[in-house]
Amino acid sequence: MSFGDPNNPYGQQPGQPPQGPPQGQPGYGYPQQAPQGVPPQGYGYPQQQPGYPQQPYGGGYPQQPGYGGGMPELAHWGLRFGGLIVDGLVMMVPYVLVLIGGGVGDSFGAILGVVGFLGLVAVAIWQLYQEGATGQTIGKKAVGIRLLREADGRPLGFGMAFVRRLAHFLDSLACYLGWLWPLWDQKKQTFADKVCSSVVVKAG
């Protein structure tokens, strides 16, 4: 039996083209052809389920909006003045106790004066702490405004809030001009705000 023998089942007739898989049917060992318009997917390629968008590895956590997305609306002078009035009324309560205690002049008056003085100090420290930690005193919260750092929109912190409180003496110079400066200033800042790089905005 020779290679060209027609009776040889393993042979191939001379002059005949090589036998391949039937038309349209992939044979064993032949690469699969992807449908037109669909990119081939290799081994280990993540399969995308229909109806579900493909999520990138490590994704799925939305970006939190930050201060860089836009500065909140600046508080106008009327709101700032209203907050200052409310804070003044809050401080007036323990201050009145001090005045009453000093006017009485006896032991009860002395006790009342000490209580009023301690209350005055406690309220002042608490107000300062709240302003540094949250940006709001009782008065600022009542009128809906907040004190923030101009650079990143975060609260000043206790230390810088204390420095800003001391810097208010600049606002009282030249006939209290600094307190009125937000009326025409582009950033609605007092002199103390400019020194401490702070802004007062409407609370969202």
Side-chain angles (χ1 to χ4, degrees), residues 65-77:
Y67 183 74
M71 180 183 294
E73 184 180 357
L74 296 171
H76 56 77
W77 186 85

Side-chain angles (χ1 to χ4, degrees), residues 27-178:
Y28 180 78
Y30 285 84
Q32 302 269 346
Q33 297 294 330
Q36 186 175 3
V38 179
Q41 297 181 349
Y43 179 77
Y45 192 89
Q47 302 292 328
Q48 183 173 350
Q49 299 297 329
Y52 296 91
Q54 186 74 23
Q55 296 292 337
Y57 181 77
Y61 295 96
Q63 297 292 331
Q64 298 295 330
Y67 183 74
M71 180 183 294
E73 184 180 357
L74 296 171
H76 56 77
W77 186 85
L79 288 175
R80 297 182 61 146
F81 182 72
L84 188 63
I85 293 297
V86 174
D87 285 335
L89 294 176
V90 171
M91 297 296 295
M92 186 64 66
V93 175
Y95 183 70
V96 169
L97 295 179
V98 173
L99 294 179
I100 294 176
V104 173
D106 55 8
S107 59
F108 176 76
I111 294 175
L112 194 63
V114 170
V115 172
F117 176 76
L118 293 178
L120 187 66
V121 173
V123 172
I125 294 177
W126 187 82
Q127 287 271 75
L128 190 61
Y129 171 78
Q130 288 295 316
E131 188 174 44
T134 66
Q136 290 183 310
T137 59
I138 294 176
K140 285 182 173 63
K141 189 172 184 179
V143 299
I145 59 177
R146 190 185 300 272
L147 175 68
L148 301 174
R149 289 190 305 204
E150 184 181 1
D152 54 10
R154 296 181 180 275
L156 296 183
F158 181 82
M160 187 55 68
F162 178 72
V163 172
R164 180 179 178 272
R165 192 65 61 89
L166 295 178
H168 274 312
F169 85 93
L170 297 174
D171 297 324
S172 301
L173 296 177
C175 300
Y176 301 94
L177 180 63

Side-chain angles (χ1 to χ4, degrees), residues 10 59 130 134 157 174 180 185 190 200:
Y10 305 100
Q130 288 295 316
T134 66
L180 301 175
D185 186 70
T190 62
V200 178

